[in-house]
Amino acid sequence: MKNDNMKNQYRVNEQIRVREVRIVGDGGSTVVPTRQALDMARDQGVDLVEISPNAQPPVCRLIDYSKFLYQQKKRQKEMKAKQVKVEVKEIRFGPQTDEHDYQFKLKHAKEFLEDGNKVRAYVFFRGRSILFKEQGEVLLLRFANDLEEFGKVESMPSLEGKKMFLYLTPKKAGVAKKSQQKRDNERREAEAKEAERIVEEAEAPANGGLFANAKISAEALEALTSKGEE
């Protein structure tokens, strides 16, 4: 199903119905009638794939469509691997938690926050222990204070049934998982920018751009050096 969705994101071959397209590749770019571009693709045994439909004219590549989809899928997989999924970790206390247990859970909470996860700490009141809810609140406030360096309070202690909750978010938050639509939009924007870069490099004058600046800088440096020697 995911592969079908990816296929529907691009127009290929006869699906491209504009008058002319810009073909980009390692050798630069060129604007040709769409019919000619289709003939070029056919002669090379590849497909005409539209990668930037909003450009004027639309930008295309001559590439095997299956290979193109594989490259896109691989790129998405690499982007996904770099993303950090923010999780909510739970820390449970009793209203009369001893110091050793408190320090043990405090240590774990620090690790969770440093990893970019949220922490939901709560005190569970069993039976008549609900009478000690003030102690639970003091415990959670101490917990938040001890973690001040690692996380910030998202909501103050609040009683919900037999549990009193405190929520903490990391100060150095992890990268939230992006929606598929947002990732697709970012990918298309990146492709469009890359296509524009290729077009600009291909259309730049042979003696212009960075090479010209480098030449001028070298000549200027040589002139200054000669003047210093005089």
Side-chain angles (χ1 to χ4, degrees), residues 68-82:
F68 174 77
L69 290 178
Y70 171 77
Q71 291 175 347
Q72 296 305 108
K73 186 177 180 181
K74 183 178 179 181
R75 186 178 300 175
Q76 287 184 5
K77 191 174 181 180
E78 290 172 351
M79 290 174 62
K80 186 177 181 181
K82 293 178 182 178

Side-chain angles (χ1 to χ4, degrees), residues 74-102:
K74 183 178 179 181
R75 186 178 300 175
Q76 287 184 5
K77 191 174 181 180
E78 290 172 351
M79 290 174 62
K80 186 177 181 181
K82 293 178 182 178
Q83 293 170 351
V84 179
K85 185 178 180 181
V86 178
E87 297 181 358
V88 179
K89 302 291 187 178
E90 283 194 344
I91 301 289
R92 172 177 170 171
F93 293 103
Q96 296 178 321
T97 300
D98 62 46
E99 185 64 22
H100 180 270
D101 190 31
Y102 175 83

Side-chain angles (χ1 to χ4, degrees), residues 202-220:
E203 292 182 344
N207 295 324
L210 294 175
F211 293 104
N213 291 336
K215 185 177 179 182
I216 292 172
S217 298
E219 290 174 351

